[in-house]
Amino acid sequence: MRSRLFVPFVLIITGLSACSSPPAADPSTEAIVVGEGYEWEALNPLLGFGSEGASKLFDGLIKHDATLQVVPALAAEVPAVAADGRSWTVRLRQGVSFHDGSVFDAEDVVATYRAVLNPAFASTVRSDFPMLTGVEKIDASTVRFDLAYPYAPFANRLNLGIMPSEALATPAPLESSPFNSAPIGTGPYKFAEWRKGSTMTLAANEAYFDGAPAVKKITIVFAEDDNTRAQQMRAGDLDATVLPPALARTFEGGEFAVLHHRSADYRTVTMPSSHPVTGDPAIRKALNVAVNRQGMIDALLTGKGVAASTPVPAVLASYVEPAAQFRYDPAEASRILDAAGWVPGADGIRARNGQPARFTLMYPATDTVRKDLAQAVVSDAKAVGIEVVLEGLGWEAIEPRLAQDSLVMGGGSQLDPDQVIYPLLHSSFGGDGFNNPGSYRNAEVDAGLDAARRATDPAEQIAAVKRWQRAYAADPGFVFLVFLDHSYVMRQKWNGYTPVVDPHSHGVLTWGALWNFEDWAPKR
């Protein structure tokens, strides 16, 4: 899935403009120049920017620490749930101001969450809050969230960046809001300048309630090509960047720190149900045992990743069902296809009733990791008689074809097994963009997802998650490949780096190596 950090995921650059060059990395340790592979279209939390927390521009009511535990941010304390689980009360921190000097209070929280729920705003994060029915101001420093049903991990959803109520005074589609390119938050850094297609600059919020950041300036250089960012690192134009594992490895042993984060970030092949090949259960099952996941990790990711059979990540170990893991067995894949009537032809490609076992697999053209994984799928599929035709495209060409053609897609959250997985697999989201794009439908999986979502006892939730994984493994709707490690290269000029488990969304202004950058300090 295209992370909502970058939604809509239209890459509007092809590297840096020919008429400009990246700023040289500032020799001062009180400034940092960072290479980013993607450029956002909107810096609006309600359009997905920083919607999973760890934003530099915005604060949520809560945030997550290095162990991913909920801790207060704009809340004065951890939110309290009612005995029936149907409401959550949040006391708010006092003395907080937005970047424009206006005072933060309950009106801003209410306005933000009501805008999420109001269709007139067309918020892209609305599907993250199916349990939320309303939010009420109790007094200037207290709000209450009302739920349609008990939802145990609701506190995790309260990391959404809070916007000033004035920016949401008029219900209208947020897509055209001027706020998107001139954001005002309460976060540790303030928006300063955005030269679209080139750079963005942030300045330290000297009035930040948790203390002014020691690093006073962040310059973000947008360059979608991995090799371009690596060259800029070597040339001294960048202080830090994100790179594919194999490219990051070339920086080891020198002046740079090479950092690897575990993640919940999966890569999967979508299998559209409407396609005569990918919609066949035998094809799906065969491909799941035909792909050599560990071989991909070793050869393409330099060992930096974990095999994936379902969207439940290894970092949520207690939820992983061992019986739902696919083993690499191309002989078994051939037996499955034989039994389903897919017969090899003279060219080695199978067919059934005149239909060749052939489908198109798309990948974003600038993403080298997805391209490499797609090529590995082509090879493994061909070995069992399935022909996969690759197309590297821009997102604007990919999105209209999601219902018919396969895609190497990414997604994943490290916070709980419901937030991303429910809309990915539940039939009620079938065909909803990057939510269940192939319209997968399985009644047992739906029932397990529903039971897990409404469970209030942790053991009950774990049991339900494992139950739907077993049902999914018997009737897979995707071909999950790997959970990636995220790799970063950084000059060693600061103290404060703390490793963390990343979600799919990562980079400069959210999760990633700089997730707690406001706590860093220059080395002296």
Side-chain angles (χ1 to χ4, degrees):
M1 146 183 338
R2 283 167 37 186
S3 159
R4 278 197 295 267
L5 173 62
F6 307 125
V7 168
F9 219 24
V10 179
L11 302 181
I12 63 174
I13 55 174
T14 55
L16 294 176
S17 169
C19 63
S20 63
S21 58
D26 194 317
S28 167
T29 53
E30 294 190 354
I32 187 171
V33 181
V34 188
E36 177 60 87
Y38 303 100
E39 184 166 13
W40 306 273
E41 282 205 345
L43 302 179
N44 189 321
L46 303 192
L47 294 178
F49 176 76
S51 62
E52 292 176 307
S55 170
K56 306 296 175 289
L57 297 172
F58 298 92
D59 294 301
L61 295 175
I62 64 93
K63 61 182 179 179
H64 293 87
D65 65 15
T67 66
L68 303 181
Q69 296 301 302
V70 170
V71 296
L74 291 176
E77 58 193 25
V78 173
V81 61
D84 65 358
R86 294 282 298 273
S87 68
W88 291 70
T89 301
V90 184
R91 288 202 316 109
L92 305 179
R93 188 185 293 269
Q94 301 296 291
V96 178
S97 296
F98 286 96
H99 297 152
D100 63 355
S102 60
V103 176
F104 160 78
D105 64 15
E107 293 284 355
D108 305 299
V109 178
V110 170
T112 297
Y113 281 91
R114 285 185 177 174
V116 170
L117 298 178
N118 187 344
F121 286 98
S123 170
T124 60
V125 302
R126 175 65 185 90
S127 62
D128 287 346
F129 296 90
M131 74 299 291
L132 183 62
T133 59
V135 55
E136 301 293 337
K137 173 184 173 180
I138 305 303
D139 57 42
S141 60
T142 312
V143 296
R144 186 188 71 243
F145 293 87
D146 296 316
L147 309 187
Y149 50 84
Y151 184 72
F154 183 70
N156 287 328
R157 305 294 176 98
L158 297 178
N159 58 5
L160 181 68
I162 300 299
M163 296 170 58
S165 58
E166 293 80 3
L168 300 166
T170 304
L174 293 166
E175 185 178 27
S176 58
S177 171
F179 188 92
N180 300 344
S181 56
I184 297 170
T186 62
Y189 285 88
K190 299 190 292 186
F191 174 81
E193 182 184 39
W194 188 358
R195 298 182 178 181
K196 293 190 177 183
S198 180
T199 62
M200 183 184 295
T201 305
L202 310 180
N205 178 6
E206 297 296 334
Y208 189 51
F209 66 82
D210 205 24
V215 182
K216 301 304 180 184
K217 179 181 177 183
I218 301 175
T219 301
I220 303 157
V221 177
F222 299 110
E224 64 182 280
D225 182 74
D226 297 330
N227 289 306
T228 297
R229 295 196 309 282
Q231 291 166 5
Q232 291 170 350
M233 268 311 284
R234 295 187 195 281
D237 294 327
L238 301 178
D239 293 309
T241 194
V242 57
L243 291 172
L247 194 50
R249 189 177 187 178
T250 64
F251 286 84
E252 291 177 349
E255 62 182 297
F256 305 99
V258 179
L259 314 168
H260 302 285
H261 286 191
R262 294 184 303 149
S263 86
D265 187 9
Y266 59 73
R267 292 295 177 271
T268 187
V269 175
T270 65
M271 296 268 103
S273 297
S274 61
H275 192 281
V277 177
T278 59
D280 181 61
I283 293 285
R284 295 174 171 184
K285 191 70 173 286
L287 281 174
N288 268 286
V289 295
V291 293
N292 185 354
R293 296 169 173 86
Q294 192 58 50
M296 295 177 188
I297 293 167
D298 294 341
L300 306 177
L301 305 177
T302 65
K304 301 301 182 182
V306 178
S309 292
T310 78
V312 179
V315 295
L316 294 175
S318 62
Y319 293 94
V320 175
E321 172 52 75
Q325 307 307 303
F326 293 107
R327 70 187 188 284
Y328 174 50
D329 191 345
E332 175 62 14
S334 294
R335 286 192 290 271
I336 292 169
L337 294 168
D338 289 341
W342 291 97
V343 180
D347 59 356
I349 303 304
R350 294 174 181 268
R352 184 175 68 181
N353 300 327
Q355 171 65 56
R358 180 184 301 116
F359 66 91
T360 297
L361 177 58
M362 305 180 291
Y363 64 90
T366 58
D367 191 318
T368 57
V369 171
R370 296 198 207 200
K371 179 180 179 180
D372 289 345
L373 291 171
Q375 290 173 335
V377 170
V378 169
S379 178
D380 290 344
K382 184 177 182 180
V384 299
I386 300 173
E387 183 178 17
V388 180
V389 180
L390 294 187
E391 286 194 45
L393 302 167
W395 286 108
E396 72 285 351
I398 289 172
E399 291 191 46
R401 295 170 55 178
L402 288 172
Q404 183 64 22
D405 292 322
S406 296
L407 169 68
V408 182
M409 192 172 80
S413 171
Q414 81 287 40
L415 301 178
D416 67 68
D418 176 88
Q419 188 161 346
V420 169
I421 296 173
Y422 189 99
L424 180 69
L425 296 183
H426 200 278
S427 63
S428 64
F429 284 84
D432 178 22
F434 290 92
N435 292 325
N436 196 356
S439 296
Y440 173 69
R441 179 179 294 274
N442 181 292
E444 287 187 72
V445 173
D446 280 356
L449 289 165
D450 287 332
R453 168 162 281 192
R454 295 174 181 252
T456 56
D457 176 70
E460 179 186 351
Q461 184 196 36
I462 290 171
V465 171
K466 289 189 172 185
R467 186 164 64 249
W468 73 246
Q469 284 177 81
R470 293 192 294 271
Y472 173 85
D475 176 31
F478 298 75
V479 182
F480 287 91
L481 302 173
V482 299
F483 293 104
L484 304 172
D485 285 3
H486 294 158
S487 300
Y488 308 91
V489 178
M490 185 174 302
R491 298 184 191 280
Q492 302 185 62
K493 297 164 61 176
W494 303 274
N495 294 317
Y497 165 74
T498 305
V500 73
V501 176
D502 287 344
H504 173 62
S505 303
H506 65 288
V508 178
L509 296 184
T510 180
W511 297 99
L514 277 70
W515 74 278
N516 66 332
F517 193 63
E518 60 270 21
D519 298 328
W520 292 22
K523 288 183 176 179
R524 301 297 187 188

